[in-house]
Amino acid sequence: MTPQRPVQVSKREAEVLAALGERLSNVQIAGRLHISVRTVESHISSLLRKYGAADRWELAEESRRGTPPPGHIAGLPAARTTFLGRAEEIATVLGLLEGERLVTLLGAGGIGKTRLAAAAAEAAAPAFPLGGAFVDLVPVAEGFVAQAAASALGVTQRPGQALEDAIARRLARGRTLLVLDNCEHLLDAAAEFADRLLTACPTLTVLATSRERVGVQGERTVPVPPLPTGSDAERLFLDRAAAADPGFTAARADVAEICRRLDGMPLAIELAAARGASLGAGGLLSALDDVLRLLAGGRGPVERHRSLRAVIRWSHDLLTEDEKDLFECLSVFVGGFDLAAAGAVFPGLGAGAVADLLGRLVDKSLVVRTAEGRWRMLETVRAFAAERLVAGAARGVVRRRYLGWAADTADELEGLLDGDWRARFDAVADDLRAALAGAPPGRAEVPHRLARSLGHLTYARRFLDEAPGHYREAARRAPTPNEAALDLRDAADAAHALIETGRAFDLLLESAEQSRSAGDGDGEAVTLAFAVVTAERHPSGFDTEIPHERLRGLLARARAAGDARDRVVAAHVAAARAWNHGAEKVTPDPSLAEDALAAARATGDPVLLSAALDASGIAALTEGRFRAAHRIAAERVGLLPAMPRDVPYTAPEITDTYHMATACAVAAGDLPAALSAARLAASDDLIGDRSPVAMSTLVQALVLMGDLDGALSQAGTLWDACEDAGSPLAWTAPSVAAVALAHGLLGDEDGLRLWRARAERIAGDARSRYLASYAAFVDARTALRAVRTEEAPALVERAFAAFPPQDWYRGYARAAGAELAVAAGLPDAPERLAAASDAAAENEWAAACLARASGRLHRDTGELTGSARAWERVGARHEHACTLALIEDLRADP
């Protein structure tokens, strides 16, 4: 492999990269390094270019891996023995990889497909400057192909995003290579995964290995034959025999005969060579006569496979009893294992004795030592060992030990979440899943503990789609209803992290029923009250909104079930009362919201306090007190550092806080604060820079600040996030409409119409709640650009409509409508200006707009100059430029 030049980074860039590896936000990095946030952003942009990374999270993974150079194939197995032969196959594969999208190596088990694929990938790496990954599918169960690839690539999922899409974004950034090794037991899943990626990533090449075709259109296959006798087969035998016994010698004819009898099968040759030290060439030939005599007469593929199994059986039969017992016990591991894991399934011996036995199995080529200091069985060998275990009397005992090891390992990993745990989790994740899947059915402590830990670990690992299912499984396994209730609550919070509030609501109701079964009135009250708040605060995540009367009934049940003297119960019930006061969703009662805030403060829980603050903030928004709402949202942002990111409980508040921080800043016209909040969201480990929350907050802030090109460069990602989300996202409609505004301000009428239609589509039945005033603002402001006089009366009338209280952008609509009335020379323009004046007190953008409208009306350059200064203060550079142009026009035509 041609060596690649390492990435050249400055000392400051290296410091930023290290901080990204610690999952610090841009603000935290700036504080640590005593530089500005903008400087941090500049360094991150430079690092993204140098490493060819898609986002900051990939940079963090590069940092954690010791910053390998771009172009490396992640997960490529390090060879511990010499790769011999296969020159013709390597040349064929390399030639195909130059122009084909999917190349599959076909051959029987033990034929050497994995070694060939690894060697080919290493040789081809210079042709794939943006690298890729080698994904071992042997330990992977149905449904977890994406997780295996994500682990190899260091990719994580974000809310509103499928894990496959996150992988595709990583692989679509340039010419990359993905190796899918051992597809045969997952053919349908592997084919679907490969097809999806090849469609989404035009510069991706996939190299697969399998015992049969993957079956994706355009697939090119390369048969992998046995090693030719007379050259490569003999070289392999002599190399492995010398590794077992450096003094090994044998007549060339004897070696040739051994390889011929083993049909050139590499694994069979290695197993036989491992016995060369003890038997010699003559002894091997005699033993092979006994092993293979029943197979005489055929040498086709079936016979070769039978002969390989016969050699494995022969090698097994030569083991001592302790070696046999350990060999069979180790077959429970679907992936690799360490010494402690081996000792857990084969107890009674000390670590030294287990290590000695493992060493003997390695010497006999029945177990392989990996470069990472772990051990594994080749799949063909493991299948034989598993058959022996099933046939013996110890299977049940060994499976119970395996389950116990998995539960204990998961417990240990949970205790390491503040440190470097992800690589350790990725190494054992397939075995943790397999142990849970193979556990006896029914409720029991150990499988329950494992399922619950897996929910926590997969959530912290950002396999967000996977986590709720483990929590559900934990609830099914829970020994008591109380434990099941906690599991279902965590499943609900994990669903909330996916912005699937309708699903979360259903899980909360299930949790409440479990609490009731357990006689836990307080638990039932808390969960029912939270379900009411979820349906009232986040109705856009429901396919059908929950009727007010049903929610009122749930609240009544909560009040009856819980002890009002308990602070947590009191806080949850007070919040539910505030949100459920009226029939309209997202409209809490102001006085009851203050009661809820006082109750939440009494608990000292930042999550409950944030939720109560949101009720107060929404109440302020509905009353038009936008500056107060902005201050409340800022207080919520201040609570975020106290909320851990590795537990689902905090997810609803983290995502909502970022969304509302930007929304309230926009409602108050504080555009720099809106942009700052959007950037905070993008740098948060839970949110990420491509989630609906991050994209919607960023795009809207960029448009209003006049960075129209910057907003349009993000528009496609915003729309992808909206379309890919697992639940309705009506609350993103204003941001989609903001893209329409950007097109309109640039004079792109087609783009304006397209994105206005998209905004209407995404808002759906919730248009009046989320889009009405913002759409009126967009239409009035874009009409102002060309001053379409004939449309002005209707657009102005719409801008001054009686918008519902949940619509927070009416200040923008009325200010833009008033200016349009002035520009169009409508007779009621002065009255419109006066009617919009209230907006100026609560919205800095509206104040600047109305100052400009007044300057237009009075043809007063002084007022226009004041407006220009106001635009400059809020950072709205497009509006500032428009105002300066108006001043020049007025001076030219006094």
Side-chain angles (χ1 to χ4, degrees), residues 227-257:
L227 289 173
T229 54
S231 57
D232 291 340
E234 287 84 346
R235 288 174 57 210
L236 176 65
F237 179 89
L238 290 171
D239 181 84
R240 302 304 189 257
D245 176 11
F248 178 84
T249 58
R252 180 178 299 179
D254 289 344
V255 173
E257 180 62 15

Side-chain angles (χ1 to χ4, degrees), residues 684-695:
D684 191 279
D685 178 60
L686 178 62
I687 306 299
D689 59 0
R690 293 176 180 267
S691 71
V693 172
M695 292 309 307

